[in-house]
């Protein structure tokens, strides 16, 4: 029988496999030409679905912890969240590179005309601070470690930073 530390390690290895195996599967299908008539579209859809699935699983780890009380969910939450960010970034880059051929004027036009592109890029931008501050080296980036809510970096009130009453 596995002890507590071994169960957590096994769970973290499962999370690692959840992040890596989709890449292996995608590379396999690309290599053997099994991505359909428009492989670039298949890559864009596959990376997006994988990223969204991992993001939903990440969000589900907190309720799973509250329901079961098992700390392994909270320990692996950051790891799977970073995998979700990686796959969503890969989705964006695949769309820009494979689908739009890095044609920046066309990408800009798509962003203006297609709301789902704007919403997707905005959502990715909202995930960037979470990904950057997931590492100890990133805790002090842009003061985000002191920001308790998304409104604080945007000029809202809050935070634990001391305020100097005399800014001279």
């Amino acid at each position: 029988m596995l002890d507590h530390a071994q169960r957590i390690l096994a769970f973290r290895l499962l999370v690692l496999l959840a992040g890596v195996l989709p890449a292996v599967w995608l590379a396999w299908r690309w290599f053997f030409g099994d991505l359909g008539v428009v492989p670039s579209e298949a890559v864009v859809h596959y990376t997006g679905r994988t990223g969204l699935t991992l993001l939903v699983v990440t969000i589900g780890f907190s309720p799973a912890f509250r329901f079961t009380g098992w700390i392994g969910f909270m320990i692996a939450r950051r790891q799977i969240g970073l995998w979700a960010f990686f796959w969503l970034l890969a989705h964006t880059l695949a769309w820009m590179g494979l689908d739009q051929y890095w044609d920046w004027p066309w990408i800009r036009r798509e962003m203006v005309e297609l709301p789902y592109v704007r919403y997707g890029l905005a959502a990715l931008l909202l995930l960037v601070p979470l990904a950057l501050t997931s590492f100890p080296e990133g805790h002090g980036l842009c003061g985000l470690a002191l920001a308790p809510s998304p409104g604080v970096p945007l000029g809202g009130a809050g935070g634990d930073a001391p305020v100097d009453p005399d800014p001279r």
Side-chain angles (χ1 to χ4, degrees):
M1 190 70 183
L2 297 175
D3 68 352
H4 182 71
Q6 291 173 329
R7 282 194 305 268
I8 290 175
L9 178 62
F11 187 66
R12 291 190 69 174
L13 288 174
L14 283 174
V15 170
L16 176 67
L17 287 175
V20 172
L21 284 180
V24 172
W25 180 247
L26 184 62
W28 177 275
R29 292 186 66 196
W30 181 279
F31 181 74
F32 287 105
D34 191 31
L35 290 174
V37 178
V38 186
S40 61
E41 184 177 327
V43 169
V44 170
H45 288 282
Y46 185 80
T47 54
R49 264 194 315 274
T50 302
L52 284 176
T53 301
L54 291 176
L55 188 61
V56 169
V57 170
T58 303
I59 293 168
F61 271 22
S62 291
F65 167 70
R66 276 188 240 116
F67 182 70
T68 65
W70 187 57
I71 195 70
F73 289 116
M74 299 310 284
I75 291 173
R77 184 176 64 172
R78 177 178 57 175
Q79 180 185 6
I80 198 161
L82 286 170
W83 278 114
F85 177 76
F86 165 79
W87 280 102
L88 293 171
L89 182 63
H91 169 69
T92 303
L93 294 175
W95 174 75
M96 288 179 170
L98 296 174
D99 197 31
Q100 305 300 321
Y101 302 106
W102 302 108
D103 184 1
W104 292 106
W106 185 257
I107 290 172
R108 201 171 312 113
R109 173 189 256 166
E110 293 274 292
M111 289 170 52
V112 169
E113 292 178 1
L114 302 174
Y116 59 87
V117 173
R118 283 193 309 271
Y119 298 147
L121 289 174
L124 182 67
L125 287 176
L126 289 174
L127 290 175
V128 167
L130 293 173
L132 289 177
T133 57
S134 290
F135 300 100
E137 296 83 13
H139 285 179
L141 290 176
C142 306
L144 292 172
L146 298 175
S149 70
V152 172
L154 300 175
D160 296 327
V163 177
D164 186 7
D166 188 17
R168 287 186 257 165

